[in-house]
């Protein structure tokens, strides 16, 4: 979009960077912004949010605008989440139980 505007001699909209964090609420040791944690793990924001609702991950939300999530994830929790992702990514298509026996017999 910026290239199109620039090529046609139009002014570019002002660029805004990320909101600065209030020092009192900034992430501390073993805390991550939700987006940074998702990027570090190589998963989507939706996956991290699901872990919050399922109770696999805890965090806090900023009390001021823009109310970003700050996740508590020490190294052992990161390892646990990476293992959870590996398990999920290693899944195969679900097989109806009636046909699972046939597959087990073929693999034996």
């Amino acid at each position: 979009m910026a290239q199109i505007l620039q090529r046609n001699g139009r002014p570019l909209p002002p660029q805004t960077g990320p909101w600065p964090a209030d020092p009192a609420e900034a992430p501390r040791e073993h805390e991550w912004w939700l987006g940074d944690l998702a990027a570090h793990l190589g998963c989507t924001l939706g996956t991290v949010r699901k872990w919050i609702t399922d109770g696999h991950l805890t965090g806090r939300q900023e009390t001021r605008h823009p109310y970003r999530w700050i996740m508590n994830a020490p190294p052992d929790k990161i390892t646990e989440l990476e293992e959870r992702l590996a398990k999920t990514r290693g899944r195969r298509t679900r097989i109806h139980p009636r046909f699972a026996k046939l597959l087990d017999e073929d693999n034996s």
Side-chain angles (χ1 to χ4, degrees):
M1 180 72 163
Q3 287 179 350
I4 294 169
L5 291 172
Q6 202 168 19
R7 286 180 191 159
N8 292 307
R10 302 278 173 105
L12 295 175
Q15 298 292 318
T16 59
W19 286 84
D22 179 8
E25 293 191 28
R28 299 176 198 102
E29 187 178 11
H30 304 305
E31 288 187 334
W32 300 71
W33 294 112
L34 186 137
D36 291 346
L37 180 60
H40 178 77
L41 294 170
C43 66
T44 64
L45 296 174
T47 299
V48 177
R49 287 188 180 110
K50 177 121 175 62
W51 288 337
I52 296 167
T53 58
D54 291 348
H56 301 297
L57 193 58
T58 59
R60 60 189 170 90
Q61 200 169 10
E62 288 180 301
T63 58
R64 297 180 183 167
H65 182 75
Y67 306 104
R68 295 171 289 195
W69 276 97
I70 301 168
M71 310 315 306
N72 181 19
D76 58 327
K77 182 55 103 172
I78 296 287
T79 304
E80 177 190 323
L81 296 174
E82 288 171 338
E83 290 169 359
R84 180 176 293 280
L85 279 172
K87 249 192 274 186
T88 304
R89 290 176 177 156
R91 266 194 234 158
R92 296 183 182 169
T93 305
R94 293 183 186 177
I95 300 171
H96 191 279
R98 185 173 71 196
F99 302 111
K101 290 180 184 177
L102 295 173
L103 288 174
D104 288 341
E105 292 170 4
D106 289 345
N107 292 333
S108 298

